[in-house]
Amino acid sequence: MTSQAPEKVGVSSTSEVAKERMARLNEEALVSAGPTRGFFRGTWQSIRDLGEYRELLGLLVRRELKARYKDSALGFLWSLLRPIAILLVYYVAIGKFLGAERSIPSFAIYVFAGLTAWQLFTDVVAGGTGCIVGNAGLIKKVYLPREVFPLSVLGSGLFTFSTQFAILVLGVVVASEIPTGSRLLFVPLSLLVIVVYATALALVLSAVNVYLRDVQYLVEIGLTVLFWSTPVVYSWALVQNIVAGGWLQQLYLANPMAVAIMGMQRGMWVAGTDQPFPDGLGTRLLIMLGIGLVLVWLAQRLFARLEANFAQEL
């Protein structure tokens, strides 16, 4: 009695289906997974890519927020406690000991308005600098628009800013110094200036940091110098007394963060209505915003040029 080998049912049909699929794939045109070249065409394609990955961007923002306070008991409260602690230090050391509050009415509100704006800028620039290196594992595995990583840092920074700004609003309400009228326009305009310049720096620094890791340490030093170059804990009147007119004053006002922080203070600091501010502060903010938008565009194109070798460098 002879045994008969079992028939291999369906093997030939499966092989034919696989061959058909391979044939269709070979007929399709290859699609580049990298950034599109060209200033205008590349910019438009980058915007489209970011639109397609907007859900991923939202997930990265939430991941950024969760990772920042992972395993901490207070969680998001730390985003409030840190600036409040800094405010108390400046209020006691500079306001009380050095007597700054004698020349700056409602010194606490003045300082907190500046600190809130400055903290947003610091979070985006410092966090954005290391975001590509910090996501090296994901970048080496799959292709996606790498701009989502600096933008996710921006998203988490804006969330933190919103919580701190809510405390500032509560403070002005408790102090019965609620801003009204056209002065409120300075707040969103100043916020836009901060966002565009922080985004431009985050894009450039995150890309350069992949090739030169010393950048993150230079950023820490630069942010410290820039902080004391902006009127966060001292007034514009003091700057005027030291650099009265001339090119030094114009050089000081060329700092977009100095102009943006003064705009935030002009909008929220009711007690300082009679205090001096630079002439044409609103016009300066609009000019800074226009320049910043151009810088964001140039920063994105530089980022697109440098991202081609991210995976190899990481």
Side-chain angles (χ1 to χ4, degrees):
M1 185 174 180
T2 59
S3 59
Q4 204 172 19
E7 295 183 3
K8 297 181 179 180
V9 181
V11 173
S12 59
S13 60
T14 303
S15 177
E16 291 176 359
V17 171
K19 290 180 179 179
E20 291 178 1
R21 290 179 178 176
M22 288 298 296
R24 286 198 298 267
L25 287 174
N26 290 331
E27 292 175 358
E28 292 182 1
L30 294 176
V31 179
S32 175
T36 304
R37 294 184 177 275
F39 249 69
F40 296 100
R41 191 161 60 92
T43 301
W44 175 244
Q45 185 60 46
S46 296
I47 294 174
R48 290 182 59 185
D49 290 344
L50 288 172
E52 293 177 0
Y53 284 84
R54 58 185 179 275
E55 293 183 4
L56 174 62
L57 178 58
L59 291 173
L60 289 174
V61 171
R62 288 192 288 272
R63 189 198 67 171
E64 188 79 22
L65 291 170
K66 291 178 180 178
R68 184 179 301 180
Y69 307 107
K70 184 181 179 181
D71 298 329
S72 65
L74 298 179
F76 291 116
L77 284 178
W78 287 115
S79 65
L80 301 177
L81 293 177
R82 185 172 180 271
I84 290 175
I86 296 174
L87 169 64
L88 291 175
V89 171
Y90 287 146
Y91 180 75
V92 173
I94 298 178
K96 294 292 186 181
F97 294 165
L98 299 180
E101 66 173 352
R102 290 194 293 268
S103 60
I104 302 177
S106 296
F107 184 72
I109 293 177
Y110 175 83
V111 171
F112 198 68
L115 280 177
T116 303
W118 175 257
Q119 192 63 48
L120 171 62
F121 180 77
T122 302
D123 287 346
V124 176
V125 174
T129 299
C131 67
I132 299 297
V133 175
N135 290 281
L138 182 58
I139 289 173
K140 289 189 290 186
K141 289 180 181 178
V142 297
Y143 175 77
L144 68 163
R146 278 70 181 270
E147 292 92 341
V148 296
F149 298 110
L151 291 179
S152 68
V153 176
L154 173 62
S156 64
L158 286 172
F159 177 84
T160 304
F161 170 82
S162 64
T163 58
Q164 295 173 359
F165 189 76
I167 297 298
L168 175 61
V169 172
L170 180 62
V172 300
V173 171
V174 171
S176 299
E177 298 178 0
I178 303 174
T180 57
S182 60
R183 70 184 302 148
L184 289 173
L185 295 175
F186 283 98
V187 176
L189 187 55
S190 300
L191 178 60
L192 286 173
V193 171
I194 295 169
V195 166
V196 295
Y197 280 91
T199 303
L201 284 173
L203 286 169
V204 173
L205 293 173
S206 63
V208 175
N209 189 52
V210 174
Y211 299 90
L212 184 63
R213 304 298 168 86
D214 294 336
V215 168
Q216 56 190 333
Y217 305 109
L218 293 173
V219 168
E220 294 178 4
I221 298 173
L223 287 174
T224 302
V225 174
L226 190 60
F227 174 80
W228 293 105
S229 303
T230 57
V232 177
V233 296
Y234 55 85
S235 64
W236 168 247
L238 180 61
V239 177
Q240 278 187 312
N241 293 334
I242 297 175
V243 290
W247 66 271
L248 280 177
Q249 182 170 308
Q250 296 305 317
L251 179 63
Y252 185 91
L253 291 174
N255 175 8
M257 280 305 299
V259 178
I261 284 178
M262 283 189 284
M264 188 68 71
Q265 292 163 341
R266 181 73 180 85
M268 299 300 297
W269 184 42
V270 175
T273 301
D274 298 330
Q275 295 291 312
F277 280 96
D279 295 333
L281 182 59
T283 303
R284 290 180 183 274
L285 284 169
L286 288 172
I287 294 174
M288 290 291 185
L289 179 58
I291 296 173
L293 290 173
V294 174
L295 290 178
V296 168
W297 177 36
L298 296 176
Q300 192 279 326
R301 299 320 302 155
L302 176 61
F303 184 95
R305 289 290 300 270
L306 294 177
E307 72 168 308
N309 295 321
F310 278 179
Q312 292 88 329
E313 293 293 331
L314 294 171

